[in-house]
């Protein structure tokens, strides 16, 4: 049974979907005014892991990930997220492009990064700019019901009207009044209210007609509009990084629940931040690495995937090259393991029987416990160690290798690794390695040496480790 930590209840809850066998999931996607960085990737990998594991246990998942192509109006350290510069606009001016060109460029970049990380694409990536009519409809409804008010072409949500405000983040009205830095706006009734619609200054490029002014939507309303449009009024799971908890998700709950009169999200799942020297990696601070920076240093997107899966999503993670190097080694070990299984599975070898069931149970127990990926990887490593022992003692049978390979494929539907090593080794080389293994088994060392030479002639080297043969392209 899957347990998920719900930010709303601050506890691990049993996961039950709203509709049998189906899960509706919404993940806050990128703001496309700059390159996606590896901190963002950590957040997208979390939603990918949730989705992959839900599919593993038999759910059909519909994932929606928005593209924020309207500027976030947010000075990062200010409370409600409706002041500061428009970052889309700033990027457009700086790069001498239109906001549409900027958005399209960075959206393509983001999708390419997700592809390299083997993140399964969302079923749909709605763009905020294509959903302004839906946002306007919600804002109109909120005004009608008395939850929002308009002044001078600006519309604000009246936080005092929503009793549960603060339940997600702990920033209740009482706490806000004493603690937070709040944004003053001459048209706000109270500083803790947040913007739903803002009148555009004349230099603003992205603006739309509305019943209140020519303007643009506040940041939070886009996710309410797009999630309800594609997933209905109540959704199973909503994810994001921890910075999304407040103000973004708190505001989403307030405006959506006041508009629909229904519960908005059943499970809120947030990933903690990726840090750089103790500080949040962020676009606005510029203390970031992009995927290219990782690749330039000789690592792969899969090394990064493994690094992120090696820590739990509810722990902050300080990025380090040493940890990435360790992830690289671990991935190589997985690579070699799978290759060996492939080789042995094609032989006629008998041997002792190897118990896969206990590993399956441990893997699922780890994942069921709030998606404990570090533990589920530890289960895999334990299995590798034990299978390698069997191989070294020449005891692993072809049937066991086949079963282990089938199990690997199943759990890798959750880990999502693309093993480059395998892909690089052509089938004919794998066949030669297999023939060489057979020759060695039959103690025909002359033939085994000839086959090694032939493999080398094809540009590959084969090493006999205690874990079985390891084949690599000769470098
Ligand atoms: P943004 O493009 O800034 O709106 O962020 C897109 C997603 O990445 C959101 O879910 C953020 O919460 C998440 N995110 C941003 N920075 C980090 C970070 N340093 N570590 C983890 N997640 C992050
Ligand atoms: Zn969002």
């Amino acid at each position: 049974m899957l347990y998920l930590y719900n930010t709303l209840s601050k506890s691990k809850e049993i996961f039950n979907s709203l509709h049998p066998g189906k899960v509706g999931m919404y993940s806050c996607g990128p703001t496309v005014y700059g390159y996606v960085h590896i901190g963002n990737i950590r957040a997208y990998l979390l939603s990918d892991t949730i989705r992959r594991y839900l599919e593993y246990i038999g759910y059909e998942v519909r994932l929606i990930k928005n593209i924020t192509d309207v500027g976030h109006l947010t000075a990062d350290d200010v409370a409600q997220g409706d002041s500061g510069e428009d970052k889309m606009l700033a990027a457009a001016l700086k790069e001498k492009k239109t906001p549409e060109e900027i958005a399209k460029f960075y959206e393509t970049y983001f999708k390419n990064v997700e592809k390299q990380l083997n993140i399964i694409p969302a079923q749909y990536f709605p763009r905020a700019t294509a959903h302004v009519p839906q946002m306007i409809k919600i804002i109109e409804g909120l005004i009608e019901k008395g939850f929002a008010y308009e002044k001078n072409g600006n519309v604000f949500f009246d936080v005092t009207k929503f009793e549960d405000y603060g339940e997600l983040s702990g920033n209740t009205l009482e706490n806000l009044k004493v603690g937070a830095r709040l944004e003053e706006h001459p048209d706000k009734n109270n500083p803790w209210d947040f913007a739903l619609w803002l009148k555009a200054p004349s230099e603003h490029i992205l603006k739309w007609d509305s019943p209140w002014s020519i303007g643009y939507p506040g940041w939070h309303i886009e996710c309410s509009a797009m999630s309800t449009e594609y997933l209905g009024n109540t959704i199973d799971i909503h994810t994001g990084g921890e910075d999304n908890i407040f103000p973004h998700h708190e505001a989403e709950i307030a405006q959506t629940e006041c508009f629909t009169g229904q519960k908005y999200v059943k499970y809120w799942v947030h990933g903690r931040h990726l840090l750089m020297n103790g500080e949040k990696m962020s676009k606005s601070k510029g203390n970031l690495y992009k995927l290219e920076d990782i690749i330039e240093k000789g690592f792969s997107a899969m090394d990064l995937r493994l690094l992120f899966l090696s820590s739990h999503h509810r722990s902050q993670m300080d990025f380090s090259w040493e940890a990435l190097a360790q992830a690289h080694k671990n991935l190589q070990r997985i690579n070699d393991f799978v290759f060996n299984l492939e080789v042995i599975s094609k032989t006629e070898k008998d041997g002792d029987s190897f118990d896969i069931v206990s590993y399956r149970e441990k893997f699922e127990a780890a994942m069921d416990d709030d998606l404990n990926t570090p533990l589920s990887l530890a289960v895999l490593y334990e299995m590798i160690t034990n299978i390698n022992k069997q191989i070294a003692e020449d005891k692993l049978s072809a049937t066991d290798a086949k079963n282990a390979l089938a199990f690997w494929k199943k759990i890798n539907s959750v880990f999502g690794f693309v093993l480059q090593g395998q892909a690089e080794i052509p089938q004919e080389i794998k066949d030669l390695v297999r023939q060489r293994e057979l020759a060695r088994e039959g103690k025909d060392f002359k033939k085994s040496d000839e086959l090694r030479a032939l493999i080398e002639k094809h540009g590959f080297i084969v090493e006999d480790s205690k874990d079985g043969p390891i084949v690599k392209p000769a470098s």
Side-chain angles (χ1 to χ4, degrees):
M1 199 176 297
L2 172 61
Y3 282 77
L4 283 181
Y5 182 89
N6 189 345
T7 313
L8 194 63
S9 64
K10 289 159 197 64
S11 62
K12 288 183 198 171
E13 294 178 20
I14 293 175
F15 179 78
N16 279 313
S17 62
L18 291 161
H19 305 287
K22 294 195 172 171
V23 176
M25 195 169 147
Y26 187 92
S27 297
C28 285
T31 313
V32 283
Y33 68 86
Y35 292 106
V36 161
H37 58 72
I38 61 172
N40 302 130
I41 294 176
R42 190 177 188 212
Y44 305 138
L45 202 59
L46 165 61
S47 78
D48 191 53
T49 305
I50 300 174
R51 177 202 183 153
R52 283 172 175 274
Y53 191 60
L54 287 169
E55 288 178 351
Y56 173 100
I57 57 179
Y59 285 103
E60 191 185 306
V61 181
R62 180 170 169 76
L63 171 66
I64 304 295
K65 194 178 281 179
N66 66 301
I67 303 286
T68 300
D69 56 353
V70 189
H72 267 203
L73 272 188
T74 169
D76 286 340
D77 54 343
V78 182
Q80 301 96 315
D82 49 33
S83 70
E85 63 172 351
D86 179 334
K87 290 171 178 170
M88 286 289 301
L89 184 61
L93 292 174
K94 194 169 152 219
E95 297 188 30
K96 296 195 172 51
K97 289 182 183 157
T98 64
E100 289 83 358
E101 284 168 336
I102 293 282
K104 207 161 169 244
F105 176 83
Y106 290 112
E107 180 186 323
T108 306
Y109 175 84
F110 151 73
K111 287 189 175 152
N112 183 33
V113 165
E114 282 215 325
K115 194 170 169 196
Q116 290 188 65
L117 262 291
N118 198 26
I119 291 174
I120 304 172
Q123 274 82 358
Y124 192 47
F125 293 94
R127 296 189 185 109
T129 49
H131 295 80
V132 176
Q134 287 89 332
M135 298 182 217
I136 291 178
K137 200 174 128 214
I138 297 177
I139 300 169
E140 281 180 320
L142 289 171
I143 295 175
E144 232 171 73
K145 292 179 181 176
F147 292 109
Y149 56 91
E150 183 263 346
K151 231 186 251 174
N152 297 323
N154 298 306
V155 185
F156 298 96
F157 184 90
D158 182 350
V159 168
T160 61
K161 299 273 169 62
F162 183 57
E163 259 186 22
D164 293 341
Y165 194 77
E167 207 175 304
L168 185 74
S169 62
N171 286 321
T172 56
L173 211 49
E174 287 314 305
N175 290 344
L176 278 180
K177 282 180 190 170
V178 289
R181 243 186 88 191
L182 297 168
E183 288 148 275
E184 295 295 340
H185 189 290
D187 296 330
K188 271 186 188 180
N189 286 350
N190 290 302
W192 40 83
D193 294 345
F194 61 86
L196 295 167
W197 188 265
L198 291 162
K199 189 173 163 182
S202 58
E203 72 276 10
H204 214 89
I205 308 173
L206 282 175
K207 49 193 167 190
W208 292 264
D209 205 359
S210 80
W212 317 287
S213 62
I214 294 181
Y216 54 93
W219 162 30
H220 320 301
I221 194 72
E222 66 169 272
C223 286
S224 296
M226 291 187 272
S227 62
T228 51
E229 172 89 1
Y230 299 104
L231 297 168
N233 289 350
T234 308
I235 61 181
D236 289 291
I237 303 176
H238 196 315
T239 74
E242 60 179 313
D243 56 334
N244 282 163
I245 298 172
F246 189 85
H248 188 45
H249 291 162
E250 195 71 69
E252 268 188 65
I253 296 175
Q255 65 205 5
T256 317
E257 296 196 353
C258 289
F259 177 66
T260 66
Q262 293 169 41
K263 189 174 172 68
Y264 177 38
V265 172
K266 219 173 155 194
Y267 304 91
W268 284 98
V269 182
H270 292 100
R272 301 211 62 195
H273 283 146
L274 181 70
L275 312 178
M276 272 276 256
N277 305 319
E279 252 197 283
K280 179 195 168 195
M281 184 175 287
S282 82
K283 259 183 240 181
S284 53
K285 284 197 209 103
N287 59 340
L288 54 84
Y289 286 124
K290 305 199 294 283
L291 183 56
E292 289 84 276
D293 300 321
I294 300 299
I295 290 169
E296 241 168 54
K297 291 253 185 177
F299 295 102
S300 69
M302 287 302 119
D303 295 335
L304 191 64
R305 186 177 243 281
L306 180 51
L307 174 70
F308 287 163
L309 292 178
S310 307
S311 83
H312 193 266
H313 65 272
R314 283 198 296 115
S315 307
Q316 287 191 328
M317 179 186 210
D318 218 324
F319 177 78
S320 87
W321 292 106
E322 291 73 31
L324 187 59
Q326 184 57 49
H328 176 78
K329 274 193 199 149
N330 290 344
L331 192 67
Q332 192 54 49
R333 186 162 174 239
I334 297 172
N335 233 6
D336 295 342
F337 165 72
V338 175
F339 180 76
N340 288 338
L341 290 182
E342 279 176 354
V343 171
I344 296 167
S345 68
K346 286 176 194 145
T347 63
E348 309 272 298
K349 235 180 125 9
D350 334 306
D352 295 351
S353 84
F354 188 83
D355 174 31
I356 293 287
V357 178
S358 65
Y359 293 102
R360 171 170 299 126
E361 284 169 358
K362 283 196 255 182
F363 168 81
E364 289 174 6
M367 291 305 292
D368 280 344
D369 183 13
D370 195 28
L371 309 166
N372 193 334
T373 51
L375 194 55
S376 64
L377 278 170
V379 174
L380 171 64
Y381 298 147
E382 186 193 328
M383 182 172 96
I384 293 179
T385 303
N386 288 332
I387 286 197
N388 283 349
K389 241 185 246 159
Q390 296 273 103
I391 296 176
E393 291 167 15
D394 207 18
K395 281 186 189 159
L396 193 81
S397 73
T399 311
D400 281 336
K402 265 184 215 147
N403 290 342
L405 210 47
F407 174 61
W408 154 254
K409 282 188 183 143
K410 186 94 176 88
I411 60 175
N412 195 38
S413 71
V414 180
F415 292 133
F417 297 124
V418 179
L419 297 182
Q420 295 300 341
Q422 256 74 50
E424 282 167 14
I425 296 166
Q427 190 56 44
E428 55 171 318
I429 301 297
K430 288 185 188 175
D431 290 343
L432 288 175
V433 173
R434 184 155 57 90
Q435 284 173 33
R436 183 171 169 273
E437 274 309 282
L438 289 172
R440 276 161 52 85
E441 270 170 33
K443 311 247 180 283
D444 185 348
F445 296 113
K446 186 166 170 278
K447 189 166 177 202
S448 128
D449 285 346
E450 281 167 13
L451 284 163
R452 178 203 286 273
L454 193 58
I455 292 165
E456 282 174 5
K457 235 171 113 183
H458 282 83
F460 291 85
I461 47 169
V462 56
E463 286 166 9
D464 296 307
S465 78
K466 69 174 182 18
D467 300 335
I470 296 172
V471 187
K472 294 175 187 155
S475 46

